Amino acid sequence: MNTLPSAERHDFPAGDGVPLQLTRYQGGAKGPVLLVHGAGVWSGMFMLPTVRENFVQHLVRHGYDTWLLDWRASVELPLRQFTLDEAARHDMPAAVRLVREHSGADSVQAVVHCAGSATFFMAMAAGLLPDVQSVVASQVALHHIVPPSTQLKAMLRLPDVLDITRDYLTPDEDPSSPLFQAAFGAFVDLWRHECDSTVCRRLTFMYGQLFRHARINRETHDRLDEQFGPCNMLTFRHLAQMARSGYAVGFDHGREENLRRYGRERPPSYLRAEHLKRPITFVSGEQNGTYMPASTELTYEWLREENGASYYRRKVLAGYGHLDTFMGSTASQDTYPVIRDALEAMA
Ligand SMILES: [Zn+2]
């Protein structure tokens, strides 16, 4: 495994005071590049100890000043209930500001994944990230197209039903809630699966197929519990709302509260293109079972129509799923160069 420069850790508050973390690996003069993880994981998804070269090592080896954000969805931070609107407004601008302050750079590049990408794009669309120079969006941005099994759970309002009794779902064994977790495990074990890991099966229930098994090595699969943890129900409910509408919308608080917050009965859309006139490369795993490749395709086509084709690129990663884009055993040969080339082309 390649060695990394020593980590520089920054604890800082989001705009509303929620404590967040940034971890910097200063690899050289390129960047700075900000990495934003998805929901129910943490920044460790970019630096797995179980692959020959992880994404952070790859960027550092190529001279990037690399910054890993743990935003409020991180399983390394205390669990809290939040909508993606709150994270978009308070986490992403504060993180970009801190990177700029400490690196001295005028602007940053970003590689953003899954719910982290959805939230980052909501912040950009709202005009809150003018100093983000260019972005690689992994798997989803402003359009949310999910597989039929996820859509069914969203249509059945499953997260709203679970929210009555549960604050979160986690794939891991859970000493604070052993009976529920055993029942959750027994439930997901009823279905046919590619493997015999209950953690992996719970993950599939929570998010859809997160990776192609053929793409991750045994050690990564055996240690999934180190990467994943609780995801709060309010975030699940917001993601389900966006899956139902097909695109990013503000959280639906109900008619009365919507009128008070938004001045309208229905939550507003984030499909506003004027602040997205900047280089963006969309990447989707060809066999993604969490967000269908149509998700990035729709945002890509919509932006080309709105702002002209020159800013935008899209790459489909052949043979890849969702998280194996970063956690795959040969991702350093297959997918990291695609992302790094995009960063260099957009610098
Ligand atoms: Zn598995």
Side-chain angles (χ1 to χ4, degrees):
M1 192 182 277
N2 301 329
T3 54
L4 282 173
S6 55
E8 184 183 306
R9 164 88 175 265
H10 298 268
D11 296 295
F12 70 104
D16 59 352
V18 169
L20 309 178
Q21 290 171 7
L22 273 161
T23 309
R24 179 189 201 180
Y25 294 93
Q26 171 52 285
K30 292 185 196 166
V33 61
L34 175 68
L35 310 187
V36 182
H37 62 75
V41 286
W42 64 296
S43 63
M45 64 165 272
F46 297 114
M47 47 184 311
L48 285 193
T50 50
V51 293
R52 199 177 312 142
E53 181 178 65
N54 61 45
F55 189 53
V56 173
Q57 288 167 328
H58 186 84
L59 290 177
V60 164
R61 180 162 67 84
H62 287 278
Y64 275 91
D65 181 12
T66 306
W67 292 75
L68 288 87
L69 174 63
D70 280 279
W71 58 294
R72 67 187 64 196
S74 170
V75 299
E76 287 292 292
L77 300 176
L79 182 76
R80 62 177 60 245
Q81 303 294 319
F82 65 90
T83 67
L84 298 186
D85 305 303
E86 295 170 80
R89 182 182 309 161
H90 299 302
D91 292 13
M92 304 308 169
V96 169
R97 194 177 314 122
L98 188 128
V99 171
R100 284 192 55 199
E101 273 172 23
H102 286 268
S103 66
D106 292 335
S107 63
V108 307
Q109 294 188 285
V111 177
V112 295
H113 175 75
C114 192
S117 179
T119 307
F120 201 83
F121 270 78
M122 287 158 66
M124 279 201 294
L128 302 175
L129 298 175
D131 37 9
V132 171
Q133 189 253 331
S134 56
V135 185
V136 177
S138 170
Q139 318 304 334
V140 64
L142 288 174
H143 291 83
H144 293 232
I145 309 300
V146 296
S149 57
T150 308
Q151 190 61 254
L152 179 65
K153 289 172 212 157
M155 298 309 281
L156 291 172
R157 304 288 202 275
L158 193 62
D160 304 71
V161 173
L162 284 167
D163 195 25
I164 296 167
T165 55
R166 300 289 306 169
D167 288 339
Y168 61 90
L169 285 180
T170 179
D172 302 337
E173 297 315 318
D174 186 0
S176 69
S177 189
L179 286 178
F180 177 87
Q181 208 56 3
F184 184 16
F187 175 74
V188 296
D189 285 347
L190 292 173
W191 272 260
R192 193 181 64 80
H193 287 278
E194 290 180 67
C195 72
D196 57 6
S197 160
T198 300
V199 172
C200 186
R201 294 172 179 194
R202 289 193 191 107
L203 277 174
T204 302
F205 178 84
M206 290 166 67
Y207 301 109
Q209 198 69 247
L210 274 181
F211 45 79
R212 296 194 62 222
H213 275 76
R215 286 279 172 211
I216 66 167
N217 66 35
R218 175 178 288 273
E219 205 184 352
T220 300
H221 188 266
D222 287 347
R223 294 169 63 176
L224 288 172
D225 59 335
E226 294 174 20
Q227 297 303 323
F228 296 94
C231 180
N232 77 87
M233 291 312 297
L234 199 55
T235 292
F236 270 126
R237 288 173 60 197
H238 199 178
L239 288 170
Q241 289 175 6
M242 293 198 273
R244 288 198 293 272
S245 64
Y247 55 88
V249 288
F251 187 84
D252 188 350
H253 296 271
R255 186 177 171 279
E256 290 303 314
E257 184 64 13
N258 288 344
L259 278 169
R260 195 183 70 76
R261 286 174 183 254
Y262 306 129
R264 46 188 288 173
E265 293 185 15
R266 302 286 305 151
S269 162
Y270 281 93
L271 292 184
R272 304 198 295 271
E274 67 265 31
H275 297 296
L276 296 168
K277 282 184 187 167
R278 65 188 96 189
I280 298 171
T281 300
F282 299 93
V283 298
S284 271
E286 175 196 37
Q287 299 179 39
N288 194 321
T290 301
Y291 283 100
M292 312 289 277
S295 303
T296 58
E297 190 178 8
L298 285 171
T299 308
Y300 170 70
E301 294 294 350
W302 166 70
L303 281 174
R304 282 161 57 96
E305 187 125 316
E306 292 286 326
N307 292 339
S310 63
Y311 295 108
Y312 311 112
R313 301 279 180 276
R314 182 169 176 267
K315 306 277 184 192
V316 175
L317 305 168
Y320 273 79
H322 184 74
L323 255 176
D324 37 341
T325 300
F326 295 102
M327 293 169 57
S329 57
T330 57
S332 65
Q333 295 146 55
D334 304 333
T335 61
Y336 300 168
V338 174
I339 296 169
R340 179 172 49 81
D341 285 350
L343 287 173
E344 303 213 348
M346 298 188 296

